[in-house]
Amino acid sequence: MTDPMEGFITFQPALDAGKITLLPGIVVPNVWVFMDEPNGQKRWTYVRLENNIATCMAVLTPAEPYEGKHVFQLGYAVLEHFRGQGKAKDISRAAITELTTGFAKNGLNSLYIEIVVGRDNPASIAVAQSLVKVKPKEISDKISGLPALQFMQIIETKF
């Protein structure tokens, strides 16, 4: 599993150095987005800011299509001293809303959201369960080989 916290640690210094330009979200207040293409693959990073500090982030990246539909993997991270406040759920919901609204404007009527979390991460499992209302599938993570849960649900887009 890719740990979104690894990217989150480098995000604030890049923001402070002016290497990242954030744009306001299109429908959710106080959400900021940064779109880039590391390794040629698009990635949307959504953050909430408090005093110009990114307190939480959600990252959506395209994955292999499923049942002929687009799939976006969702990862989330929260700075340690902001954990336990519902920020991961909040930024993740905002990111899904922003992404699906953007795609709806471009004619895509549904897509899948996929979340893969380690079996040993109860906090992340709770966040995933709050976002995806289907029973997870037990898997071995493709990257780490560790036991994981795969949450995947189709989302109807709205515009």
Side-chain angles (χ1 to χ4, degrees):
M1 287 156 282
T2 303
D3 183 358
M5 194 56 152
E6 291 176 16
F8 196 20
I9 291 168
T10 62
F11 187 86
Q12 189 67 48
L15 182 63
D16 291 343
K19 295 178 181 176
I20 293 175
T21 301
L22 297 176
L23 298 173
I26 54 177
V27 291
V28 180
N30 303 314
V31 169
W32 298 89
V33 63
F34 172 68
M35 200 280 286
D36 63 346
E37 294 187 41
N39 305 316
Q41 182 176 346
K42 289 187 180 188
R43 171 176 66 185
W44 292 265
T45 302
Y46 298 88
V47 297
R48 293 264 193 207
L49 300 175
E50 292 184 23
N51 299 316
N52 294 320
I53 303 295
T55 61
C56 55
M57 79 171 357
V59 179
L60 285 154
T61 56
E64 291 181 34
Y66 179 72
E67 296 182 344
K69 302 240 181 236
H70 293 281
V71 176
F72 291 87
Q73 291 183 329
L74 172 66
Y76 36 84
V78 178
L79 290 179
E80 192 168 340
H81 56 281
F82 289 101
R83 293 180 184 165
Q85 301 174 23
K87 289 186 181 292
K89 292 176 192 175
D90 172 67
I91 193 62
S92 296
R93 283 187 185 114
I96 292 167
T97 298
E98 289 287 333
L99 185 84
T100 57
T101 301
F103 277 99
K105 286 182 176 183
N106 290 295
L108 185 67
N109 60 6
S110 63
L111 54 86
Y112 279 94
I113 296 294
E114 177 186 35
I115 307 168
V116 176
V117 297
R119 294 278 302 148
D120 63 346
N121 190 340
S124 193
I125 291 169
V127 172
Q129 287 173 325
S130 75
L131 299 168
V132 177
K133 305 297 183 192
V134 296
K135 184 178 179 181
K137 179 180 173 184
E138 296 204 24
I139 63 168
S140 290
D141 180 63
K142 291 178 185 177
I143 297 170
S144 68
L146 296 172
L149 294 175
Q150 176 193 40
F151 295 81
M152 193 143 109
Q153 181 172 326
I154 195 160
I155 306 287
E156 301 300 321
T157 61
K158 300 176 202 166
F159 172 56

